[in-house]
Amino acid sequence: MKQFAEKNAQLLGLSCDPVPALKVWAQALGGIAHPLLSDFYPHGAASQSLGIFNAEGGFPVRSMIIIDPQGIMRACHVYPAGVLPQVADVLAELASLQAA
């Protein structure tokens, strides 16, 4: 998304689905503007390391994470099922972290 690029940030999606499934899902939605990462094998390893893996369901919970250029997690928000992160809120938090 252009708004993230303007803030020198990269938006990524993370799922435990295999790459072919992510491609089909993205195509079914008419395309996704940001890269989708597969956390398929070892199953959920990246999600677990970020603390967002739902072991009971076998998938990462919907969340928004900001990681700085040094690889340090600066913010993490988890959202209930059916609730999407609001772009304006994410951009405001990113701006706040970048100003600090």
Side-chain angles (χ1 to χ4, degrees), residues 18-60:
V19 172
L22 290 175
K23 287 182 180 181
V24 170
W25 178 74
Q27 288 172 347
L29 292 176
I32 301 289
H34 56 277
L36 298 174
L37 308 176
S38 174
D39 193 13
F40 182 69
Y41 186 82
H43 187 78
S47 303
Q48 290 175 40
S49 71
L50 293 168
I52 59 168
F53 188 72
N54 175 331
E56 189 174 298
F59 56 85

Side-chain angles (χ1 to χ4, degrees), residues 18-96:
V19 172
L22 290 175
K23 287 182 180 181
V24 170
W25 178 74
Q27 288 172 347
L29 292 176
I32 301 289
H34 56 277
L36 298 174
L37 308 176
S38 174
D39 193 13
F40 182 69
Y41 186 82
H43 187 78
S47 303
Q48 290 175 40
S49 71
L50 293 168
I52 59 168
F53 188 72
N54 175 331
E56 189 174 298
F59 56 85
V61 295
R62 177 162 291 149
S63 49
M64 183 282 302
I65 298 171
I66 297 175
I67 300 172
D68 73 10
Q70 290 73 41
I72 299 170
M73 185 186 307
R74 297 296 179 183
C76 180
H77 300 284
V78 174
Y79 299 88
V83 176
L84 295 172
Q86 297 300 304
V87 173
D89 294 340
V90 176
L91 289 169
E93 182 151 15
L94 180 59
S96 174

